[in-house]
Amino acid sequence: MTLAPDKTELVRLSGVTKRFGGGLPALDAVSGPILGGEITGLVGPDGAGKTTLIRLMTGLMLPDSGTVEVLGFDTAKNPAAIQASIGYMPQRFGLYEDLSVEENLNLYADLRGLPKDERAATFDELLTFTDLKRFTGRLAGKLSGGMKQKLGLACALLKKPRLLLLDEPGVGVDPISRRELWKMVENLTREGIGVVWSTAYLDEAEACDAVLLLNQGKLLFPANRRK
Ligand SMILES: Nc1ncnc2c1ncn2[C@@H]1O[C@H](COP(=O)(O)OP(=O)(O)OP(=O)(O)O)[C@@H](O)[C@H]1O
Ligand SMILES: [Mg+2]
């Protein structure tokens, strides 16, 4: 397969299997690539294994068998190198509701080790990008669902990731904000960033450049490419 120059392979899944206790595995021998410069939809109903696959790509959890390679590193061998270069937005807002928008950004900047002298410019750029400038002092708990996701996105982008993992970013978000959020990540793909957008909604899946369709841990469509 020949790839356009900006569509480098960012993730390689090879026979990825993960079990939690008995019963069906949460992921069952999932293989496939995820490319940069596009939005990959990780699509499936509740319990399909979307969150598990995203957690495996962060290196915060390891597969029972198979390998997950992200940015050329095996998550089992070098998770720190991966974690330094990815952005991750968990399924439920990973925000502190009793802190303001700016305080959340500062907290994540501390966690990600963003130097103090880079913060003002980075926050300014991200607050402009997510259109949250008017709400800098507002408590995160007082934001709408859409604004919470935009703040979550800003926090995930603090260290300019090459791969952005978004776990059901469209849930709890009104249709207009969902569209705005989509446009924002679409702009990121133009810079070559790879975006994984997990969803149970088929309309979101249709808008993706590539789709990984999961059901009960099995990959039903390895790579449903439109272009
Ligand atoms: N920490 C865990 N302990 C036990 N079982 C788990 C754990 N995490 C996930 N599972 C199980 O693994 C399967 C896949 O779950 P996962 O959360 O990855 O699905 P999902 O596609 O993200 O679903 P949802 O749309 O509900 O978020 C489910 O059967 C779930 O119950
Ligand atoms: Mg989930």
Side-chain angles (χ1 to χ4, degrees):
M1 184 169 62
T2 49
L3 304 174
D6 60 332
K7 305 256 163 137
T8 48
E9 185 176 286
L10 299 183
V11 179
R12 177 181 290 239
L13 306 167
S14 311
V16 176
T17 299
K18 182 73 188 175
R19 287 176 191 280
F20 298 102
L24 287 176
L27 290 171
D28 191 356
V30 172
S31 297
I34 290 172
L35 307 185
E38 59 181 33
I39 303 177
T40 298
L42 188 52
V43 183
D46 289 355
K50 304 182 295 296
T51 297
T52 303
L53 187 54
I54 286 180
R55 286 186 179 143
L56 290 174
M57 288 192 273
T58 65
L60 294 169
M61 191 188 263
L62 295 177
D64 295 322
S65 58
T67 55
V68 181
E69 288 165 89
V70 179
L71 307 172
F73 299 104
D74 185 332
T75 56
K77 294 184 184 141
N78 208 341
I82 296 166
Q83 286 153 10
S85 303
I86 63 171
Y88 170 41
M89 194 163 97
Q91 183 160 5
R92 272 166 267 288
F93 315 113
L95 300 171
Y96 288 85
E97 304 229 324
D98 56 338
L99 297 181
S100 71
V101 166
E102 184 164 23
E103 287 166 338
N104 269 282
L105 283 170
N106 256 313
L107 182 79
Y108 276 90
D110 285 342
L111 290 173
R112 301 305 310 253
L114 186 71
K116 291 254 191 287
D117 61 348
E118 289 178 25
R119 293 194 189 183
T122 306
F123 290 2
D124 190 68
E125 187 188 337
L126 289 172
L127 289 167
T128 304
F129 177 65
T130 52
D131 200 21
L132 283 175
K133 254 196 166 158
R134 292 161 291 156
F135 307 105
T136 313
R138 187 180 289 193
L139 293 182
K142 301 277 184 211
L143 297 173
S144 70
M147 288 193 280
K148 281 182 187 168
Q149 290 297 44
K150 287 175 193 167
L151 177 56
L153 179 65
C155 291
L157 290 174
L158 280 165
K159 283 290 283 271
K160 281 216 192 334
R162 290 178 59 202
L163 175 69
L164 181 62
L165 305 171
L166 307 175
D167 200 352
E168 301 211 33
V171 169
V173 178
D174 67 83
I176 293 174
S177 302
R178 189 139 68 103
R179 213 185 143 91
E180 288 168 357
L181 204 57
W182 184 272
K183 290 268 168 241
M184 286 170 197
V185 299
E186 208 169 39
N187 283 334
L188 296 171
T189 63
R190 299 211 176 92
E191 300 168 23
I193 295 174
V195 177
V196 174
W197 177 299
S198 89
T199 182
Y201 300 130
L202 292 180
D203 61 330
E204 288 183 7
E206 265 175 23
C208 292
D209 303 300
V211 166
L212 299 178
L213 180 62
L214 283 174
N215 189 37
Q216 294 192 325
K218 287 198 157 59
L219 190 65
L220 300 188
F221 286 102
N224 187 14
R225 303 209 147 265
R226 281 194 311 175
K227 44 189 184 197

